[in-house]
Amino acid sequence: MSDNKGLASGTLGAFESAIMGIAGTAPAFSVAVTTATIVGAVGELAVGSILYCGLIMFGIMLAFTHLNKITRHAGATYAWVGKVFGESWGFLAGWGLLIASIFFMVSATTPAATATLKMFSELFGAPEAWVKDVSYVTFTAWVWLTLVTIVVIKGIQHASYAQLILTVIETVIIFALIIGAFVEYGDKPAHAFSWSWFSPTSFSAETFAQGALIAIFFYWGWDVTMNLGEETKEGTPNPASSGAFWAMVNLILFFIIMMIVVLITLTDAEIAEAETNVLYAIADKLFPKPWSYLAVLSTILSTIGTIETQILQFSRSMFAMSRDNALHPIYSKVHPEWKTPWVATFVIWFLGSVLLFCATMMPTVQMILDASITAIGIQICFYMSLAAFACAWWYRDKLNKGLGTSVSYVVWPAFSGAFMVFMALYLSYTTLMNDDSEDNLAIYLGFAGLLIGLVPMFLGKLRRAKIKQIDFNR
């Protein structure tokens, strides 16, 4: 591990880390942006997909918390996989996260933009057509991306305070929706509750893989706690690990309950029509105006929160890789006053802006989201499965340390990693066989983003070899 070069160490405790982990998945945002996609793909089995994917992701969380015992590192997966399997695999794991984060700048800022335009339409008389107009949506998304980047670059303390405020407000609004939904529609649900929603036998292999891959998007983001490990306080257990654990427990319960709320409140047609405004559609059926607009506010706040944490995760990963000369050293520059990797932060803002510009060429907002979500799912499966396998291999001697220890350190992480690989490959195969040009584009984007990483990986090897040669000649 390279020495820490200027990050604000000792800033975050376990509570702040847990808030970062929850905010990283952005509960309101995840429900708003992904519900229409997952219900469209697997219908009522979306509830089971959320549950089983949550159990798989719990195994990944165990892997991360155990690997964090090896070393706290801003690069997290990049550093751990590199230590266990070698620098090439470590680089590719880190690259997978970087690429997923860049695509996420499109899928995250878009719901914030549509929610903002929805509120302007309802409250200030802006044209309703703006909400579905790709140009207006992408420009508004770019404005949000820029504003959040400014907050992040100002320092981790500012970012953590902002996350706490946003998460508290978002939580209060969401709980009001949950209570209202069960009171109003518990006895007259749009979809009658059934335990078959949870049954593994209700799934085919294809629907299980498809639902789980989309559900991954609900959970992704909690691992930002690990990338902030160098900026946490000392303690046992480590605050980053504690934060990840409690964030995951809360998220699994929340997403299951929230998906049930969506199904009992909205019909399939209403879910499809709502697109990225599912929470507003629920609130509009529960509360009179203007109170229903609070659901739009929760989506905006949640989205801002997840944009912030993803920029943090990207910038810390790029900083760590640059610090180790895996990427160009310029990305490891830390602002002398704010103690943030400002160059790496600027990079994700710039690349996110470029992708948002490219997104204006797609015909609908929903198509933009569907393509980015699928591409991100493949990249998440790649880098998280590598971390899971690294944990299982590093701690393989614990297989004879008792059932609980062997399951926690080896069996559960290894199973979760293997299942993530299966999901990505199976869905890619079935999608390409269906020969749908739009779905195929998402698959190609997912794998192309990973393959591009071979170029900077090769350049990094040349750069390190040159440095070693110079040191040798001295």
Side-chain angles (χ1 to χ4, degrees):
M1 170 182 169
S2 300
D3 294 334
N4 187 323
K5 296 183 179 179
L7 292 177
S9 60
T11 302
L12 305 175
F15 177 73
E16 292 93 339
S17 294
I19 292 296
M20 284 291 187
I22 293 172
T25 62
F29 157 79
S30 298
V31 172
V33 70
T34 318
T35 297
T37 302
I38 195 169
V39 172
V42 297
E44 297 170 347
L45 296 179
V47 180
S49 295
I50 293 294
L51 170 62
Y52 297 120
C53 187
L55 295 177
I56 294 166
M57 192 61 79
F58 196 89
I60 302 296
M61 182 276 298
L62 290 175
F64 274 64
T65 56
H66 294 322
L67 289 170
N68 196 45
K69 297 172 184 176
I70 301 174
T71 179
R72 291 188 297 164
H73 199 289
T77 305
Y78 148 75
W80 303 327
V81 174
K83 184 176 182 64
V84 177
F85 294 139
E87 63 180 26
S88 295
W89 283 110
F91 180 92
L92 291 174
W95 184 260
L97 185 149
L98 295 181
I99 292 298
S101 298
I102 294 169
F103 276 103
F104 189 72
M105 291 304 101
V106 175
S107 57
T109 54
T110 300
T114 57
T116 302
L117 293 172
K118 181 73 174 177
M119 184 171 289
F120 269 80
S121 172
E122 297 287 348
L123 297 180
F124 305 111
E128 176 71 23
W130 286 5
V131 179
K132 296 182 182 295
D133 187 289
V134 171
S135 297
Y136 281 103
V137 168
T138 51
F139 174 75
T140 308
W142 177 82
V143 172
W144 275 122
L145 173 62
T146 302
L147 292 174
V148 175
T149 301
I150 292 172
V151 173
V152 171
I153 211 167
K154 291 286 287 184
I156 187 62
Q157 194 73 58
H158 295 89
S160 65
Y161 289 155
Q163 285 292 13
L164 179 60
I165 294 170
L166 295 176
T167 303
V168 169
I169 297 173
E170 173 192 350
T171 301
V172 171
I173 296 172
I174 292 299
F175 268 100
L177 291 180
I178 292 173
I179 294 171
F182 280 111
V183 169
E184 184 68 23
Y185 289 96
D187 58 349
K188 49 179 180 181
H191 297 82
F193 176 82
S194 171
W195 289 109
S196 65
W197 295 357
F198 298 91
S199 175
T201 59
S202 300
F203 291 87
S204 65
E206 182 175 356
T207 56
F208 193 88
Q210 191 173 18
L213 186 59
I214 299 171
I216 286 175
F217 192 79
F218 277 83
Y219 291 103
W220 182 53
W222 61 267
D223 51 318
V224 67
T225 60
M226 300 302 175
N227 293 99
L228 298 174
E230 293 184 23
E231 295 159 88
T232 57
K233 300 173 182 177
E234 298 293 336
T236 304
N238 179 262
S241 298
S242 296
F245 175 84
W246 288 112
M248 184 55 60
V249 170
N250 281 279
L251 288 167
I252 291 174
L253 293 174
F254 171 81
F255 283 133
I256 291 174
I257 294 171
M258 200 62 214
M259 188 55 61
I260 293 174
V261 166
V262 171
L263 289 175
I264 68 172
T265 307
L266 302 178
T267 65
D268 289 341
E270 288 171 333
I271 294 172
E273 175 64 23
E275 292 188 345
T276 60
N277 290 302
V278 168
L279 292 182
Y280 175 74
I282 294 174
D284 201 39
K285 294 184 71 173
L286 296 176
F287 307 116
K289 292 180 174 61
W291 297 107
S292 57
Y293 298 136
L294 289 175
V296 181
L297 177 62
S298 73
T299 301
I300 295 174
L301 295 179
S302 180
T303 309
I304 293 170
T306 196
I307 296 168
E308 180 183 301
T309 55
Q310 206 54 52
I311 292 175
L312 286 169
Q313 192 168 22
F314 175 96
S315 60
R316 271 54 179 180
S317 295
M318 176 170 271
F319 160 80
M321 296 171 75
S322 174
R323 184 177 60 183
D324 293 343
N325 276 309
L327 292 172
H328 195 283
I330 192 173
Y331 305 122
S332 64
K333 287 188 175 182
V334 174
H335 194 280
E337 179 183 353
W338 302 327
K339 302 299 182 183
T340 56
W342 67 273
V343 176
T345 305
F346 173 80
V347 168
I348 191 170
W349 171 84
F350 174 76
L351 294 177
S353 299
V354 171
L355 278 185
L356 281 171
F357 172 76
C358 294
T360 60
M361 302 176 188
M362 302 188 79
T364 67
V365 173
Q366 190 62 45
M367 187 180 296
I368 294 172
L369 291 173
D370 290 345
S372 60
I373 288 171
T374 302
I376 290 169
I378 291 171
Q379 292 148 5
I380 295 171
C381 285
F382 177 75
Y383 86 82
M384 284 193 167
S385 65
L386 282 176
F389 295 143
C391 176
W393 182 252
W394 183 261
Y395 291 107
R396 61 191 182 278
D397 61 331
K398 292 188 179 292
L399 280 171
N400 58 3
K401 301 295 184 181
L403 180 62
T405 299
S406 63
V407 168
S408 174
Y409 280 83
V410 182
V411 178
W412 202 340
F415 173 79
S416 295
F419 196 84
M420 281 199 150
V421 173
F422 161 75
M423 286 192 294
L425 294 179
Y426 186 85
L427 184 62
S428 299
Y429 172 78
T430 54
T431 300
L432 294 175
M433 289 299 99
N434 289 336
D435 198 28
D436 186 311
S437 58
E438 294 176 6
D439 292 338
N440 289 354
L441 173 62
I443 299 296
Y444 294 143
L445 287 174
F447 283 104
L450 296 174
L451 292 174
I452 290 172
L454 295 174
V455 176
M457 184 180 76
F458 177 72
L459 294 176
K461 287 179 179 293
L462 292 179
R463 185 167 45 254
R464 289 193 297 275
K466 184 177 180 180
I467 293 172
K468 289 180 180 179
Q469 185 62 43
I470 292 173
D471 291 342
F472 176 79
N473 292 336
R474 289 177 180 172

